Amino acid sequence: MQMHHKANKGPDMKRLLFVFVLLAVSLSAHASMDMSLYIPSPPTGYPTFTAVQSGAWNAGATWGGTAPGLNAVVTIPPNIVVTIDQLELNNSRAPKWVRVEGTLAISNTVSTRFYVETIHVAMGGTLSLGTINTPLPMGQTAEIIFTSPNADFDKTWDKQQVTRGLIADGSVKMFGISRTYAVAVTTDVPKGARTMNLAAVPSNWQPNDELVLAGTYFRRNAGSQDELRHFGSFAGSTLTIAASDTAFQNDHLHVTTGAGTPTPITPNFHIANLTRNVMFKSEFTTPTYRRGHVMLMNSDSQIQFAAFINLGRTDKSTPLDDYKVSGGQTVATADTAILNIRGRYPLHVHKAGWGPGPYDGTTLPQTNITGCVVNSTPGWAFVNHSSNVVQLHGRGIRRGGRR
């Protein structure tokens, strides 16, 4: 499905909260520009490590000596599986570059946290966590945190500012525990309320999960009335927010269409759960270009019930400047002068392929993104660029971005 995007002429959306059903978005606006991707070679001048056998990331034997440390440039060769099973407390051991030709596996038996500047999954390589039948269990978390020790990019080395994130020419298979992403609210929730009735029992909602209740009052140039709270308890059909939360500050009311409509309706609004136990995050969010991003370029990828938090550095609140119009022609900006490049989004499926089907006579696996959340981004949340095989299942939820 193709949808042509128009510039948002409304208010600054960075603080607004949106819950929407996500189908697929094809960025046809890019068609007139050269959107080929230049992935730089591994950086030089840093300590290098190459895995010599399968094993744990922090085990010296995996690397034939000592484990990688801060600013390491790492290679995982084909047929080798390196497993992350550590919970890092800070970025003091964050590698600068990890090239995955074999498998980088995140343990699904313990909670993990891994700081890294860039992960490049090469063709034939895999980044994995669990399987669709053995996701990361409830009570355990996995965090990949993209760090940025230098505020700006080395634009001579990284001409397209594609590093600082996950770039996947190979496959990405990551599975968080499933949970109900949103439930319809069947009663009005007036200002001062702490409870509401729901249309269904949410699955796997846990105490202190972050929730967002959709606002129902909309006026041009007015702020959103969506409200963040935390899950407290559920009994019968009644949800109660956490005791530590303040009561709701706005009325959240059902609205019936006007009497002049053929069949008046009273649509429900929803409360959504923003918490996931698999998380991709940015360590730093300002300036905007310090944020990480995720780009999938292999159709054989599946990500289930993951959160993409503070990711994306393509800022839709200011003009893009990688291309400019001059004399009626689209002209590329010099690499070193680009401040706001397009195509660096929280979850971006970039030219991943056409099949299966009659498109080119081949059969390719389909990319599946299920039950995922984008939480805080300055630009588009989920992006499908010339990847007609992509299937996005369920509701995508985003906060602080643009439609």
Side-chain angles (χ1 to χ4, degrees), residues 125-332:
T126 301
L127 173 65
S128 69
L129 191 166
T131 69
I132 195 167
N133 295 318
T134 58
L136 186 66
M138 186 67 71
Q140 295 175 6
T141 59
E143 300 172 76
I144 294 179
I145 302 178
F146 300 115
T147 188
S148 50
N150 298 314
D152 205 355
F153 286 89
D154 179 350
K155 296 176 183 176
T156 302
W157 167 63
D158 184 5
K159 299 178 184 298
Q160 294 186 345
Q161 303 172 38
V162 72
T163 59
R164 195 171 295 166
L166 168 62
I167 316 149
D169 286 312
S171 66
V172 176
K173 304 287 184 69
M174 303 191 73
F175 301 90
I177 192 71
S178 64
R179 66 184 73 207
T180 304
Y181 30 77
V183 184
V185 180
T186 58
T187 55
D188 289 342
V189 183
K191 179 179 179 179
R194 303 185 61 84
T195 65
M196 68 196 73
N197 287 354
L198 303 185
V201 178
S203 172
N204 282 338
W205 287 21
Q206 301 295 304
N208 293 317
D209 278 2
E210 187 176 25
L211 308 179
V212 55
L213 180 62
T216 58
Y217 181 86
F218 303 99
R219 293 294 184 273
R220 183 182 296 275
N221 297 324
S224 166
Q225 292 191 355
D226 298 351
E227 298 193 61
L228 283 172
R229 296 294 186 273
H230 296 86
F231 181 73
S233 61
F234 190 84
S237 61
T238 301
L239 180 147
T240 301
I241 61 175
S244 57
D245 282 340
T246 60
F248 289 104
Q249 303 298 299
N250 301 295
D251 289 327
H252 299 260
L253 309 176
H254 290 81
V255 178
T256 302
T257 57
T261 56
T263 306
I265 60 172
T266 306
N268 285 317
F269 54 91
H270 293 76
I271 188 165
N273 191 320
L274 301 179
T275 298
R276 301 292 185 269
N277 68 339
V278 174
M279 293 163 277
F280 296 85
K281 298 179 176 180
S282 297
E283 183 179 19
F284 303 104
T285 60
T286 57
T288 301
Y289 54 74
R290 296 192 76 178
R291 290 169 168 253
H293 74 115
V294 173
M295 184 179 290
L296 308 180
M297 294 177 285
N298 189 309
S299 64
D300 187 19
S301 293
Q302 298 180 62
I303 302 179
Q304 171 180 286
F305 292 97
F308 300 81
I309 302 169
N310 292 323
L311 295 186
R313 54 179 178 263
T314 299
D315 188 349
K316 296 298 183 178
S317 68
T318 61
L320 303 176
D321 64 357
D322 50 350
Y323 289 87
K324 296 180 180 178
V325 177
S326 177
Q329 301 295 317
T330 300
V331 180

Side-chain angles (χ1 to χ4, degrees), residues 49-53 56-57 59-68:
F49 293 78
T50 299
V52 298
Q53 65 181 39
W57 178 279
T62 304
W63 312 97
T66 60

